[in-house]
């Protein structure tokens, strides 16, 4: 029996592609030159050590620098590998890779490999989710430029192909027809003379207002350019796609919107029938700026929003502005505008979170319904968990939907979560709506998108009164939800949920000293819908009237749910 299984194991072992170590010449001043041989394959595999200082890696053809990235080249140990895909340049005469700021003798020079094997040294990660979107390798943060076209959901995202920590921002791309299974696509936007590719949005230009072509997909993003004197300069740029969003051409007139502020980013644009023009909402320090344009190329500032309203304990980022329907109460059926304002830090439970404002928008100015509700730092939050950030909606979604996706992490510890060759996942998609609470005030709800119905991904519990719900596994690890009907709160305790020690903020919750992640309730709780994946728990009370999204890193997935009175 034994020898047979050994035989089967040998037969099924992957064939390791022949690899080679490219030739390296070390110079003075910590500069090394590598000359890859095109015959050895398209990928130069770079050994990475997450806690090594950033080295500068450049591709030079002849005497011209083609690209340059910051890469944490391994000095003493290799945590994982990233690929430099040399395909575009491999056959150019005299292609060289130059590495600066890594002393000769560091381990990386012996560990470099070149081959055509895209699975080279691929790590099967313990905590990779089963049905949430993740990058195969590399770092991810904000969802960007999401749109829907001809049956396909397009998700772009902030991406570092050269490591599992933030840096070298690109726009990576994945597509899905069901919001569950995601197909990786080639990288959409790479850094250029204007800087690295920060967050932004996409629209489908049905009427060719831009002149880029009928139904062109147009992306607007922030290019963030480091200066030699420290700091970054941020400007808004355009790129367009005439093949449905798979490949983009950058607009030659970039940048299209510049400013003098340090934080001037994350453009979110949408067509507004009320003014027959495009609107743009942009995060600028601790306020939002609203612009209009006939063609996405020339922009007029219309108004500013935010002074003295909501939470200002951090930088305002990644805005969205959408019109939603009220689903209950006296105003049922009416519509209101909701301004989404991601803020970091300053979230109620610590770090980054999404606050929102309900009001009216006429294409020029956004006005909150009741300024008193947002005074003195009072804020309303879309999700009270710690791992729900940079939430924005898909444009051009079908049936008037405003489907949203969040980055399921928190800037407090995102760079340190215990995965290796990739970091971060997205939340499941959600459908925002407005509902009336018991106090007759309007609130934002976010229900799981209908694509998840009946797929067996979630558990729904009926709730009658105060209770504790314990999610656990056979290792005794647990995640505890407590519904307190008297206090009208739903709280989450992840202190015994598995690995927590990678960053002390993981078990802290803002200003509270008990570490409990607490959400206020605006109606009595009657049901809880819980989505558990390998390393996350997303809870939707009363179909999303209250949402709590948190990461967890247990030894094995939580597979036991028990309710305690
Ligand atoms: C939000 C954010 C954005 C910025 C991007 C950079 O998480 O800081 O404001 O565009 O990430 O990656």
């Amino acid at each position: 029996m034994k020898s047979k299984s050994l035989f089967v194991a040998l037969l099924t072992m992957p064939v390791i592609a022949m690899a080679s170590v490219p030739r390296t010449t070390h110079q003075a001043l910590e500069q090394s030159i590598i000359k890859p041989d095109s015959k050895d394959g398209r990928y130069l595999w770079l050994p990475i050590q997450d806690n090594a200082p950033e080295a500068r890696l450049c591709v030079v053809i002849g005497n011209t620098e083609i690209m340059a990235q910051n890469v944490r080249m391994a000095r003493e140990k290799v945590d994982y590998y990233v690929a430099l895909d040399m395909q575009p340049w491999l056959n150019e005469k005299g292609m060289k890779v130059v590495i600066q700021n890594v002393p000769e003798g560091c381990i990386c020079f012996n560990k470099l490999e070149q081959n055509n094997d895209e699975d080279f040294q691929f790590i099967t990660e313990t905590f990779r989710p089963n049905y949430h979107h993740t990058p195969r390798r590399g770092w991810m943060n904000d969802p960007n430029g999401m749109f829907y076209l001809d049956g396909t959901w397009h998700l772009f995202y902030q991406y570092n192909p050269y490591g599992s920590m933030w840096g070298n921002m690109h726009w990576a791309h994945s597509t899905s027809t069901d919001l569950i299974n995601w197909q990786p696509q080639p990288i959409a936007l790479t850094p250029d003379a204007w800087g690295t590719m920060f967050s932004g949005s996409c629209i489908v230009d049905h009427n060719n207002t831009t002149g880029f072509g009928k139904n062109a997909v147009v992306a607007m993003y922030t290019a963030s350019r480091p200066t030699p004197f420290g700091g970054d300069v941020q400007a808004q740029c355009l790129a367009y796609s005439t093949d449905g969003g798979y490949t983009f051409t950058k607009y030659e007139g970039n940048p299209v919107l510049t400013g003098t502020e340090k934080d001037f980013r994350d453009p979110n644009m949408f067509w507004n029938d009320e003014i027959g023009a495009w609107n743009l909402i942009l995060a600028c320090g601790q306020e939002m700026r609203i612009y209009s344009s006939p063609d996405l190329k020339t922009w007029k500032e219309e108004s500013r929003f935010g002074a003295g309203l909501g939470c200002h304990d951090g930088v305002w980022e990644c805005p969205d502005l959408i019109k939603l329907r009220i689903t209950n109460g006296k105003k049922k059926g009416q519509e209101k505008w909701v301004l989404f304002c991601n803020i970091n830090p300053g979230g109620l439970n610590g770090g980054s979170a999404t606050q929102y404002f309900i009001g009216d928008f006429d294409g020029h100015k956004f006005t909150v319904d009741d300024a008193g509700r947002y005074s003195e730092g009072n804020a309303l939050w879309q999700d009270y968990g710690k791992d729900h950030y940079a939430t924005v909606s898909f444009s051009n979604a079908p049936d008037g939907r405003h489907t949203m996706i969040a980055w399921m992490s928190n800037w407090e510890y995102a760079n340190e979560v215990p995965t290796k060759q990739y970091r971060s996942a997205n939340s499941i998609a959600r459908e925002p709506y407005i509902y009336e609470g018991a106090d007759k005030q309007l609130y934002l709800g976010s229900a799981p998108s209908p694509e998840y119905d009946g797929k067996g991904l979630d558990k729904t519990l009926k709730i009658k009164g105060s209770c504790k719900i314990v999610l656990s596994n056979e290792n005794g690890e647990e995640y505890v939800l407590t519904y307190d009907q008297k206090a009208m709160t739903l709280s989450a305790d992840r202190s015994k949920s598995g690995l927590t020690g990678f960053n002390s903020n993981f078990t802290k919750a803002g200003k509270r000293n008990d570490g409990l992640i607490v959400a206020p309730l605006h109606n009595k709780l009657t049901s809880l819908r819980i989505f558990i994946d390998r390393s996350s728990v997303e809870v939707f009370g009363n179909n999303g009237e209250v949402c709590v999204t948190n990461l967890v890193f247990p030894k094995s997935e939580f597979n036991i749910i028990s309710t305690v009175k």
Side-chain angles (χ1 to χ4, degrees), residues 139 141-142 144 158 166 169 197-200 222 234 265-266 316-318 344 389-390 407 411:
W139 161 272
N141 57 294
D142 316 354
N144 294 149
Q158 289 286 280
W166 185 87
M169 285 297 109
M197 305 286 104
F198 274 22
S199 290
T222 301
Q234 303 188 335
R265 60 176 180 266
D266 307 342
W316 286 19
E317 302 182 319
C318 303
N344 176 53
Y389 194 57
W407 172 47
W411 280 117

Side-chain angles (χ1 to χ4, degrees), residues 104-181:
E104 189 183 346
C106 283
I107 194 175
C108 63
F109 298 111
N110 292 330
K111 298 282 183 182
L112 283 168
E113 297 279 354
Q114 190 184 349
N115 59 38
N116 279 316
D117 175 14
E118 63 176 36
D119 290 328
F120 180 71
Q121 297 281 344
F122 190 76
I123 300 169
T124 309
E125 303 258 1
T126 315
F127 294 113
R128 192 184 287 277
N130 297 313
Y131 60 88
H132 287 80
H133 172 258
T134 52
R136 225 171 106 74
R137 297 186 192 238
W139 161 272
M140 170 172 85
N141 57 294
D142 316 354
N144 294 149
M146 299 189 295
F147 71 94
Y148 173 92
L149 190 61
D150 301 334
T152 300
W153 302 88
H154 291 258
L155 164 64
F156 300 84
Y157 56 92
Q158 289 286 280
Y159 183 56
N160 182 4
Y162 303 110
S164 306
M165 296 172 82
W166 185 87
N168 307 314
M169 285 297 109
H170 290 55
W171 273 31
H173 183 200
S174 296
T175 52
S176 175
T177 52
D178 59 5
L179 293 171
I180 298 170
N181 298 290

